[in-house]
């Protein structure tokens, strides 16, 4: 029998998240996180549902190579070492694939070169993703390694949605266009929403609202993305935990010319010092709601700005899709913050949107409807599972070819 396990790696600049999944119905075998890589206070948290236990180790982990070796040791303790013949492939989350990568891709040197070429449009993410890939390849050079791109799901956007209104020659020269992100989540949730409605993805138009510290919306028609809120970078779109979202570009010129701020300072402000955090000093929605309940006006204003932007995108995507079958909330805030869901659709009854207060407030696992019975548009809460999506895409590509390393299916358009 061919190998059926896939190790999913998500490499950040100072972190490494991982999950080991059995694609023949065995579920999650192990999960974990290495954080503060490169510091004296590094920490590895490992859980093995299959063995019913968890472990934690603290102490310096010098780099990603050391981190992955530490992960391999933890997996080996549970009988799931990287040298296991049951391991079919390693799937890597890669944030930016540009227009070059439109599907999961087996990694070779040419693929690595192209991912590196995209670093200028993803300077915060692609370098870390590359580090994780190179480390894993060095440890298991014989094993297929697959890149699954955050941007791939959004490459189906029509040019009218993907293009900015600037000189096309300049845009093409510098790869300036709307790419979108969180694609694995939007793909997974849109499919799960269709399943919840008892229909195939091709039959359903869905607005997906991925609301976490990073937040994005997408309009999905018949299983294909036709618009999304994030753009060339993850900065565009909704109000987020620390990112501003949509902004008049002239604000940047103003801050530089009048405020005397450098480009790096403005970049830091908009990506790390804005959004909910910039508005009220908190980027945790639970804390913001607590402050609102205590009468904090600054927290209330931040919440109102967040909801106003969210509501605008819901309305816009109703117009883009023409017919909407469902609106799906997902990710940390979308799955857990009932007040956000209620406020986001309040006043949109004319678009067929409403939530049932009791269903919305109820805590439950798994996909569920929170709209009233007979509602014209279903409102759903659909937990996302990006790691499962990456594992499924990885296994679909290499699972039928155990031990092989097929040529990378790169789209050169």
């Amino acid at each position: 029998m061919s190998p059926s396990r896939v190790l999913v790696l998500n490499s950040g600049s100072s972190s490494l998240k991982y999950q080991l999944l059995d694609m023949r119905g065995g579920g999650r075998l192990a999960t974990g996180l290495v954080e503060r890589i490169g510091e004296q206070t590094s920490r590895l948290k490992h859980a093995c549902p299959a063995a019913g236990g968890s472990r934690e180790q603290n102490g310096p982990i010098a780099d990603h190579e050391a981190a992955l070796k530490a992960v391999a040791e933890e997996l080996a303790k549970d009988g799931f070492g990287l040298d296991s013949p049951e391991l079919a492939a390693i799937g890597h989350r890669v944030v930016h694939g540009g227009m070059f990568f439109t599907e999961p891709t087996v990694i070779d040197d040419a693929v690595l070169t192209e991912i590196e070429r995209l670093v200028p449009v993803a300077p915060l993410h692609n370098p870390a993703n590359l580090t994780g890939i190179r480390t894993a390849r060095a440890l298991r050079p014989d094993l297929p390694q697959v890149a699954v791109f955050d941007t791939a799901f959004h490459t189906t956007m029509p040019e009218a949605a993907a293009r900015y209104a600037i000189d096309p020659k300049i845009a093409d020269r510098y790869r300036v266009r709307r790419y979108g992100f969180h694609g694995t989540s939007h793909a997974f949730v849109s499919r799960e929403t269709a399943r919840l409605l008892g229909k195939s993805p091709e039959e359903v138009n869905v607005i997906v609202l991925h609301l976490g510290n990073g937040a994005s919306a997408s309009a999905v028609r018949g299983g294909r993305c036709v618009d999304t809120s994030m753009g060339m970078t993850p900065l565009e779109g909704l109000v987020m935990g620390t990112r501003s979202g949509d902004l008049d570009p002239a604000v940047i010129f103003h801050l530089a010319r009048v405020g005397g701020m450098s480009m790096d300072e403005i970049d830091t402000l908009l990506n790390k010092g804005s959004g909910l955090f910039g508005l009220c000093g908190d980027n945790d929605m639970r804390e913001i709601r607590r402050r609102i309940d205590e009468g904090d006006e600054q927290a209330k204003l931040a919440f109102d700005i967040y909801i106003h932007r969210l509501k605008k995108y819901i309305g816009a995507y109703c117009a883009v899709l023409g017919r909407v079958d469902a609106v799906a909330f997902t990710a940390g805030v979308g799955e857990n913050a009932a007040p956000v869901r209620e406020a986001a659709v309040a006043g949109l009854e004319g678009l067929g949107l409403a939530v049932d207060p009791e269903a919305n407030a109820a805590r439950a696992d798994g996909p569920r409807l929170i709209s009233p019975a007979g509602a014209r548009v279903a409102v759903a809460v659909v937990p996302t599972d990006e790691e499962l999506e990456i594992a499924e895409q990885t296994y679909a590509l290499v699972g039928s070819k155990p031990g092989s390393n097929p040529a990378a299916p790169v789209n050169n358009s």
Side-chain angles (χ1 to χ4, degrees), residues 78-95:
D78 298 318
F80 303 128
L82 291 189
D83 58 351
S84 169
E86 290 298 311
L87 191 60
I90 299 177
H92 297 266
R93 180 201 181 205
V94 179
V95 167

Side-chain angles (χ1 to χ4, degrees), residues 105-147:
T105 303
V106 175
I107 298 166
D108 59 15
D109 291 342
V111 170
L112 279 175
T113 298
E114 184 59 26
I115 294 173
E116 194 156 21
R117 285 182 60 204
L118 289 162
V119 166
V121 291
L124 301 178
H125 299 94
N126 273 31
N129 301 154
L130 283 164
T131 298
I133 291 169
R134 289 182 173 125
T135 300
R137 288 183 85 202
L139 290 179
R140 281 299 306 269
D142 59 311
L143 196 67
Q145 315 250 349
V146 175

Side-chain angles (χ1 to χ4, degrees), residues 4-11 16-23 27-34 68 71 75 82 87-94 132-133 136 143-148 150 184 385-395:
S4 61
R5 295 173 187 165
V6 174
L7 177 64
V8 175
L9 297 180
N10 181 352
S11 300
L16 176 65
K17 297 178 184 177
Y18 63 94
Q19 291 198 17
L20 180 67
L21 300 95
D22 189 322
M23 307 312 295
R28 281 175 176 76
L29 303 176
T31 67
L33 167 66
V34 187
L68 189 53
V71 169
L75 291 169
L82 291 189
L87 191 60
I90 299 177
H92 297 266
R93 180 201 181 205
V94 179
I133 291 169
L143 196 67
Q145 315 250 349
V146 175
V148 177
D150 273 16
T184 52
D385 196 332
E386 295 175 87
E387 289 77 17
L388 177 58
E389 180 71 15
I390 292 169
E392 287 182 341
Q393 291 192 28
T394 297
Y395 192 65

Side-chain angles (χ1 to χ4, degrees), residues 54 73 143 148 241 311 346 358:
S54 61
E73 290 174 4
L143 196 67
V148 177
K311 195 171 292 192
E358 186 174 336

